[in-house]
């Protein structure tokens, strides 16, 4: 019964067969393509996070300025501060990073730098990276599903419009015969 669109039926039109194949192809692309897109996106994200973990390293830095308390008395526990650290090539550098509020100048803090000695954010840990990679994969699969579904909905809309035009033309031919009085 689930293959009803393909069974022989004298009322079946060419557009009905086209719609049935469109739906079959849509579901095949959503399932297979979504799995492929999700897997590729998750792997790419996981590789990027692994690269970040390999490239970024913690380094000790010294606060050059005091880290002020928040001016508005908000809940912020970190504020921008100027720090000084030694890059991998041995040069002393300064830059701005977020540090805990209330710390004084001269306090040692840990900052993250990449292989070029530029300040950067802490890379995600392995567990966090897996979760984020899975979310990226799911997002890619859902995006593909949405695009395929939208394209199929547009094609079905056009098929419906074509069927309505055919029905209108047929009614124009048959309708006047039904208006005849009997008896």
């Amino acid at each position: 019964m689930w293959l009803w669109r393909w069974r022989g039926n004298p009322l079946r039109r060419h557009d009905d067969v086209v719609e049935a194949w469109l739906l079959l192809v849509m579901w095949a692309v959503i399932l297979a393509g979504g799995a492929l897109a999700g897997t590729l996106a998750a792997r790419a994200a996981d590789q990027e996070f692994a690269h970040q973990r390999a490239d970024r390293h913690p380094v000790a830095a010294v606060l050059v300025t005091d880290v002020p308390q928040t001016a508005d008395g908000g809940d912020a526990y970190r504020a921008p501060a100027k720090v000084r650290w030694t890059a991998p090539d041995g040069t002393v550098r300064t830059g701005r990073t977020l540090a805990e509020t209330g710390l004084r100048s001269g306090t040692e803090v840990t900052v993250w730098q990449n292989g070029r000695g530029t300040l950067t954010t802490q890379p995600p840990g392995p567990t966090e990276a897996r979760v984020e990679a899975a979310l990226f994969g799911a997002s890619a699969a859902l995006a593909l599903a949405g695009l395929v579904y939208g394209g199929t909905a547009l094609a079905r809309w056009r098929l419906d419009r074509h069927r309505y035009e055919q029905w209108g033309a047929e009614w124009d031919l048959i309708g006047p015969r039904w208006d005849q009085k009997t008896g």
Side-chain angles (χ1 to χ4, degrees):
M1 190 65 180
W2 62 279
L3 291 173
W4 66 271
R5 291 179 187 264
W6 281 281
R7 72 173 188 229
N9 184 338
L11 299 177
R12 182 186 68 199
R13 298 172 188 229
H14 176 71
D15 290 352
D16 299 330
V17 175
V18 170
E19 181 181 22
W21 281 105
L22 270 174
L23 291 174
L24 180 68
V25 169
M26 176 194 75
W27 283 112
V29 170
I30 285 176
L31 293 175
L36 181 65
T39 302
L40 291 176
R43 283 186 182 172
D46 197 36
Q47 287 174 355
E48 176 59 27
F49 293 140
H51 173 69
Q52 288 178 3
R53 282 192 304 276
D55 185 49
R56 298 176 183 181
H57 303 286
V59 64
V62 176
L63 288 172
V64 176
T65 59
D66 293 341
V67 184
Q69 294 288 344
T70 55
D72 60 0
D75 293 337
Y77 67 96
R78 295 171 65 109
K82 191 172 186 180
V83 293
R84 182 177 59 243
W85 76 99
T86 304
D89 62 5
T91 60
V92 176
R93 298 188 182 182
T94 59
R96 296 186 69 74
T97 189
L98 291 176
E100 292 180 28
T101 57
L103 295 178
R104 298 278 179 220
S105 174
T107 305
E108 189 172 294
V109 294
T110 301
V111 295
W112 287 82
Q113 67 178 353
N114 59 20
R116 296 177 308 280
T118 306
L119 285 182
T120 187
T121 58
Q122 180 178 357
T127 302
E128 184 182 353
R130 280 190 201 104
V131 170
E132 288 185 30
L135 288 174
F136 279 122
S139 298
L142 286 174
L144 177 73
L147 286 172
V148 171
Y149 182 81
T152 304
L154 178 64
R156 290 180 72 196
W157 176 77
R158 290 187 57 125
L159 283 171
D160 284 342
R161 290 193 40 106
H162 185 254
R163 281 188 281 240
Y164 294 151
E165 290 171 3
Q166 283 180 333
W167 291 334
E170 290 172 2
W171 184 252
D172 288 344
L173 291 173
I174 302 298
R177 293 186 199 167
W178 288 13
D179 285 346
Q180 297 174 358
K181 302 281 186 201
T182 57

